[in-house]
Amino acid sequence: EAQVTQNPRYLITVTGKKLTVTCSQNMNHEYMSWYRQDPGLGLRQIYYSMNVEVTDKGDVPEGYKVSRKEKRNFPLILESPSPNQTSLYFCASSHSQGTYGYTFGSGTRLTVV
Amino acid sequence: GENVEQHPSTLSVQEGDSAVIKCTYSDSASNYFPWYKQELGKGPQLIIDIRSNVGEKKDQRIAVTLNKTAKHFSLHITETQPEDSAVYFCAASIMGYQKVTFGIGTKLQVIP
């Protein structure tokens, strides 16, 4: 089944403790992206990647890191999480040509206390 | 950068009626406009999209219209059903680029 898989689905952590949210897609998509969803703010892009080793900042990149060492994986790293990073996070992927619409993962609900 | 405004933020309709959600965008270079549906506890799912060289596109009960001059596009759902209840997001981007800007979403409730 074609899908984007995120792990974990739920995570509660403490301020300052480094964490990684994994994202993997099995559709051979070139594009991958991370979004956060907050009430009243919609979906905001954190980072995106056009292909392996090519990443760029979205609208809200502060406090996050990403890497794209393999085409299928695009982990989101929070080096020192803070409470304002409590949010619902989505990974998404798409082709670079033809169909541009995203396939989204199921989401990761992160709480930083 | 691109700015996408979406209205209304909430919409209630009777089953069988039509629903219309409107979005405006600011960047005239944007040429790809997808719509996503997000059901409770799930990620957004692409339901229809339109490119700037097309004025209207239909897929069964769903249609999208685009007015490039006015920089606005709309989602039309006809003969609404309870399973259409969800949050709908519009978005704008430039094909071939990954910078995608979403609207804030519209919560649609279809009342049986």
Side-chain angles (χ1 to χ4, degrees), chain A residues 9 31-33 35 37 40-43 45 48-50 58-59 88 90 96 98-102 104-106, chain B residues 32 34 36 38 41-46 49 51 87 89 93-105:
Chain A
R9 288 294 307 274
Y31 291 174
M32 297 187 76
S33 190
Y35 285 86
Q37 184 175 19
L41 297 176
L43 291 155
Q45 195 171 37
Y48 59 91
S49 170
M50 307 280 278
D59 295 317
L88 179 58
F90 287 101
S96 61
T99 303
Y100 294 96
Y102 278 135
F104 279 85
S106 298
Chain B
Y32 178 65
Y36 293 87
Q38 186 179 25
K42 297 184 178 181
Q45 181 180 13
L46 178 71
D49 57 13
R51 303 185 184 196
V87 177
F89 290 97
S93 68
I94 301 172
M95 285 188 286
Y97 292 88
Q98 264 268 62
K99 190 72 179 66
V100 181
T101 303
F102 282 81
I104 64 168

Side-chain angles (χ1 to χ4, degrees), chain B residues 44-102:
Chain B
Q45 181 180 13
L46 178 71
I47 55 171
I48 195 167
D49 57 13
I50 191 167
R51 303 185 184 196
S52 60
N53 59 347
V54 175
E56 183 176 1
K57 184 177 179 180
K58 286 184 180 180
D59 183 3
Q60 299 182 349
R61 296 185 297 108
I62 293 173
V64 58
T65 58
L66 171 65
N67 183 327
K68 283 192 298 182
T69 303
K71 294 199 193 76
H72 67 70
F73 56 113
S74 301
L75 178 71
H76 305 254
I77 306 174
T78 58
E79 300 172 17
T80 52
Q81 301 167 4
E83 52 264 39
D84 293 330
S85 296
V87 177
Y88 291 81
F89 290 97
C90 63
S93 68
I94 301 172
M95 285 188 286
Y97 292 88
Q98 264 268 62
K99 190 72 179 66
V100 181
T101 303
F102 282 81

